[in-house]
Amino acid sequence: MKTTLKKLLAISLAVVMLLALVSCDKSSAVKKAFEDAGYKVETKTAQDEDVKALLNILFSAEQIEKIGEFELIYCSMDGIVNVAKKALIVKFPAAGDLESFLTVEKEDGTKDTSKLEQAEKDGWINGNCLILTLSSDCLTVFKEA
């Protein structure tokens, strides 16, 4: 009886932790971190000029169309000295959607997760958010959110 209760408790805790990880929305913490650091934070669409220019460099037309379905948060800092301090944060509905977006299915049916692994290693993922930036300052704010 004791072992059954322990197993049941362990399984319950595992399910709760899994649900917490899957549904983790970090966007509000990320927005607040950028605002606290002095950035102007705006919600934009994939058709806005600032966003469109960045997306065209990084993604295919199909990927841009997919990204357009998600909330795009544009963070920038005013001033000539801060011209490079810009970031685009893609807010996915859940961390699983972000993982699916960065996982590529090969012709042989296998899944290539190298982009996902690299993004995690580089700190470009925070919960359900993916940052696109060239600024190390923006990346630091994002990681610490």
Side-chain angles (χ1 to χ4, degrees), residues 1-143:
M1 182 73 166
K2 236 181 188 182
T3 58
T4 306
L5 285 174
K6 286 182 182 178
K7 288 179 183 177
L8 185 60
L9 180 62
I11 290 170
S12 299
L13 287 173
V15 169
V16 169
M17 289 172 52
L18 180 63
L19 288 173
L21 287 174
V22 170
S23 63
C24 182
D25 182 5
K26 296 288 286 184
S27 63
S28 58
V30 169
K31 286 179 183 178
K32 183 165 178 15
F34 274 97
E35 288 170 347
D36 290 348
Y39 287 82
K40 179 179 169 186
V41 178
E42 306 170 90
T43 300
K44 297 214 174 193
T45 68
Q47 301 309 314
D48 287 318
E49 290 302 316
D50 296 335
V51 174
K52 197 174 191 177
L54 180 62
L55 293 177
N56 283 331
I57 294 169
L58 299 172
F59 298 106
S60 67
E62 182 181 314
Q63 289 172 316
I64 293 171
E65 186 177 326
K66 181 79 174 164
I67 285 176
E69 298 172 8
F70 306 119
E71 182 178 344
L72 302 175
I73 304 162
Y74 187 72
C75 305
S76 61
M77 192 173 274
D78 291 333
I80 193 77
V81 181
N82 301 318
V83 72
K85 292 184 180 181
K86 298 185 184 331
L88 179 65
I89 299 158
V90 182
K91 176 191 169 196
F92 291 83
D97 296 314
L98 189 151
E99 291 173 7
S100 296
F101 181 78
L102 293 177
T103 301
V104 179
E105 188 169 337
K106 296 181 181 179
E107 291 179 15
D108 63 0
T110 60
K111 297 194 179 212
D112 178 12
T113 59
S114 60
K115 289 182 181 180
L116 173 64
E117 292 164 3
Q118 188 64 45
E120 287 174 339
K121 180 182 168 194
D122 293 341
W124 294 0
I125 296 174
N126 190 343
N128 62 325
C129 297
L130 171 70
I131 189 168
L132 306 171
T133 186
L134 296 173
S135 168
S136 60
D137 291 339
C138 290
L139 191 56
T140 300
V141 172
F142 182 75
K143 286 179 182 179

